[in-house]
Amino acid sequence: MTEFSLIDLIRTECALHRPDVLLGIGDDAASIQVPPEQELLVCTDTLIAGRHFPLNTRPEHIGWKSLAVNLSDLAAMGAEPAFALLALSLPESDETWVRAFAQGFSELAAQHNVALIGGDTTRGALSITVTAMGFAPRGTILRRSGAKPGDVVAVCGALGRAAAGLHYLKGHPDCGRAYRLDPHRVGHQWVRHLDRPPPQIAQGIALRAYVSSAIDISDGLAADLEHVLNSSGVGADITLASIPGWGELREELDQDVATQHVLSGGDDYVLLVTVPPDRLDAARTALGAADATLHEIGRITSDAGLRVRDAAGDIIEPTTRGWDHFA
């Protein structure tokens, strides 16, 4: 395939019409219309083969995830996604690979009415950069910097499953007991979370009026919660046993491994929020209407730092705090 036939293939596979796209793929830049009284939010992420996904990951899963990680950032700001740009670097022009990649990308894009409006293609090591854009009513966006002492720390789903999926793929021996018993019951479900994380768009929009801060968990609970604490100038106490997902992983893995996955594993793309106590019931009701659940895991404190406690109240120190690209 030539570069231009590759672009045509992606454009065909990812075709989605939105009336606010005034000019899409085909010119030097796209033109979009921003609705009145709305803010335009923009984020970008790069995925590198062997760093952000295993080298043997199926291309349709890579396409899905490359968009999902960006939509998750928009979800953390309470934004509704609208547009995306795709920059794709490929070692060779492989029509079968590109078609499958585009189909995974477009499957998720269609679920959230996201139009691909431009991008770039080049030859090189496999990497994907997506820029996503979305809207939120002016003055309603969620940020990391609003947590206050006494606020409830909560998450919108189970943690650690994606890390357990990567653990499974790497063939760690402490997974053996679970997979010998039933290799499909747990392992494949965890890998699914790694390959196809569902961005929590509905949750972010539902919580806009109720939470004091928000972030999506991409680098691990400990690392991302510390971003909120540092931005807000506060601390937090959380309880390990209250983190959804820990009990599930503990049944299948060594307890220390399960603990590490839920605290530092990353790739969860679950929303982490802080909620003033007087808004907690309303936040739960709003999430229930979005067919989701809010799980309380701790409290914001005036004392700086993050403290993770076991059932006895003793502090647990994670082996690592979370993902660091340059560690």
Side-chain angles (χ1 to χ4, degrees), residues 65 68-69 72 193 197-200 216-218 266-271:
K65 189 169 185 176
V69 301
S72 184
H193 283 277
Q200 297 190 321
D216 72 319
I217 300 176
S218 56
D267 262 351
D268 292 304
Y269 301 102
V270 165
L271 295 188

Side-chain angles (χ1 to χ4, degrees), residues 218-303:
S218 56
D219 296 330
L221 171 62
D224 288 317
L225 178 51
E226 285 183 334
H227 292 324
V228 171
L229 304 183
N230 293 336
S231 295
S232 302
V234 294
D237 275 62
I238 64 173
T239 305
L240 178 64
S242 67
I243 300 173
W246 184 71
E248 170 193 324
L249 298 188
R250 189 184 56 175
E251 290 181 1
E252 307 293 343
L253 304 171
D254 174 83
Q255 180 167 310
D256 290 340
V257 173
T259 298
Q260 191 64 24
H261 286 342
V262 298
L263 292 179
S264 308
D267 262 351
D268 292 304
Y269 301 102
V270 165
L271 295 188
L272 166 69
V273 298
T274 60
V275 191
D278 61 349
R279 296 182 185 175
L280 186 59
D281 287 343
R284 284 187 167 134
T285 299
L287 266 193
D291 197 26
T293 304
L294 197 62
H295 304 269
E296 181 176 346
I297 64 171
R299 291 274 176 162
I300 295 295
T301 67
S302 56
D303 296 330

Side-chain angles (χ1 to χ4, degrees), residues 51-195:
R51 185 86 174 156
H52 298 97
F53 54 87
L55 293 173
N56 61 350
T57 302
R58 289 165 54 179
E60 60 267 34
H61 298 333
I62 300 172
W64 172 289
K65 189 169 185 176
S66 66
L67 180 59
V69 301
N70 284 273
L71 298 191
S72 184
D73 284 334
L74 292 179
M77 304 287 286
E80 181 176 352
F83 320 109
L85 299 168
L86 169 65
L88 183 59
S89 174
L90 291 168
E92 58 184 355
S93 180
D94 181 336
E95 180 177 352
T96 300
W97 192 98
V98 172
R99 188 180 300 279
F101 171 90
Q103 288 171 347
F105 186 102
S106 63
E107 182 182 350
L108 181 60
Q111 289 183 18
H112 296 285
N113 196 29
V114 174
L116 182 64
I117 59 173
D120 190 27
T121 57
T122 188
R123 185 167 190 159
L126 178 59
S127 70
I128 306 101
T129 298
V130 172
T131 299
M133 290 159 271
F135 299 123
R138 190 169 299 162
T140 68
I141 63 171
L142 304 178
R143 300 183 63 181
R144 301 177 180 184
S145 56
K148 299 289 191 296
D151 285 356
V152 171
V153 181
V155 294
C156 295
L159 306 183
R161 290 171 173 169
L166 182 60
H167 189 120
Y168 169 47
L169 291 176
K170 289 181 176 179
H172 285 227
D174 54 346
C175 286
R177 176 171 59 87
Y179 302 122
R180 278 197 302 271
L181 291 173
D182 185 349
H184 301 288
R185 182 174 66 87
V186 180
H188 287 197
Q189 295 174 16
W190 290 344
V191 173
R192 180 76 174 180
H193 283 277
L194 175 68
D195 286 341

